[in-house]
């Protein structure tokens, strides 16, 4: 009995650690198109949006990494505010084909976001300083095989990320 108790205790601890190691890890679907995900995000965002044209994802905007976005994704969508004259509101969703490519796509999207922040800062400082907080709030979020970015207010960023996570939870 003395030899069995330590073995049972060790087995119980090992099983407990195995069960707990799965807690807190998120599991996301991989079956939704970027359009369907964006539709859910639009339900929580104010204002009207339109899709960016096909030329929006180009080497001039995304640098040499733009091929990662076009070749490694099933699909993507970028939505711009219909009121582009007065705000910079923008979201993008990229649905990556292979999980091993998510990091590269996320890096390309992050580089784009950082470049846009640099490009827009001087312009907004001079012409529309009320939009500067959106640059500072810019987000890139990875959920499974989806990469999301936004230039939104703090409240809308929070609402969009919550909707994104709820939509993609498996």
């Amino acid at each position: 009995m003395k030899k069995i108790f330590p073995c049972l205790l060790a087995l119980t601890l090992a099983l407990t650690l195995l069960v707990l190691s799965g807690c807190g890890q998120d599991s996301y679907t991989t079956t939704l198109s970027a359009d369907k995900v964006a539709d859910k995000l639009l339900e929580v965002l104010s204002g009207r949006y339109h899709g960016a044209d096909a030329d929006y994802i180009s080497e001039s905007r995304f640098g040499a990494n733009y091929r990662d976005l076009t070749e490694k994704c099933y699909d993507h969508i970028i939505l711009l505010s219909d009121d582009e004259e007065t705000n910079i509101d923008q979201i993008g969703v990229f649905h990556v084909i292979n999980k091993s490519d998510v990091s590269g796509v996320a890096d390309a999207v992050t580089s784009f976001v950082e470049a846009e922040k640099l490009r827009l800062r001087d312009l907004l400082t001079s012409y529309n300083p009320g939009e500067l907080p959106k640059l500072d709030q810019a987000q890139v979020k990875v959920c499974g095989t989806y990469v999301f970015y936004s230039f939104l207010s703090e409240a809308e960023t929070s609402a969009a990320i919550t909707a994104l996570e709820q939509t993609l939870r498996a």
Side-chain angles (χ1 to χ4, degrees):
M1 186 70 169
K2 288 183 181 180
K3 290 184 179 183
I4 294 175
F5 181 72
C7 289
L8 286 174
L9 181 61
L11 182 60
T12 302
L13 285 173
L15 287 173
T16 301
L17 287 174
L18 183 63
V19 169
L20 290 177
S21 68
C23 292
Q25 293 182 356
D26 293 320
S27 178
Y28 297 103
T29 187
T30 60
T31 59
L32 293 175
S33 70
D35 288 347
K36 295 290 183 198
V37 175
D39 286 345
K40 289 295 188 181
L41 299 179
L42 289 176
E43 290 176 10
V44 301
L45 297 177
S46 63
R48 294 170 26 116
Y49 290 80
H50 67 273
D53 61 28
D55 293 334
Y56 194 85
I57 294 186
S58 64
E59 195 164 0
S60 64
R61 284 199 183 266
F62 284 86
N65 295 325
Y66 87 101
R67 284 192 176 84
D68 283 345
L69 302 174
T70 56
E71 295 173 1
K72 295 182 178 177
C73 294
Y74 286 114
D75 60 352
H76 63 274
I77 185 166
I78 294 176
L79 298 172
L80 306 170
S81 170
D82 275 352
D83 196 10
E84 290 176 64
E85 297 292 319
T86 59
N87 74 55
I88 63 165
D89 291 8
Q90 180 179 152
I91 62 171
V93 178
F94 298 84
H95 185 192
V96 183
I97 297 169
N98 295 311
K99 192 168 185 128
S100 61
D101 291 328
V102 169
S103 176
V105 171
D107 288 347
V109 171
T110 299
S111 293
F112 163 73
V113 167
E114 292 304 315
E116 283 292 278
K117 288 166 72 172
L118 287 173
R119 183 181 75 81
L120 292 172
R121 187 160 306 278
D122 286 341
L123 178 70
L124 292 175
T125 299
S126 298
Y127 295 104
N128 198 351
E131 292 293 289
L132 285 170
K134 293 176 185 178
L135 286 182
D136 298 329
Q137 290 290 329
Q139 295 281 322
V140 176
K141 172 96 174 142
V142 175
C143 293
T145 57
Y146 296 84
V147 178
F148 163 80
Y149 80 86
S150 68
F151 291 101
L152 299 168
S153 68
E154 184 176 0
E156 288 201 312
T157 296
S158 178
I161 289 175
T162 298
L164 176 74
E165 290 177 338
Q166 289 174 348
T167 300
L168 296 177
R169 290 239 191 262

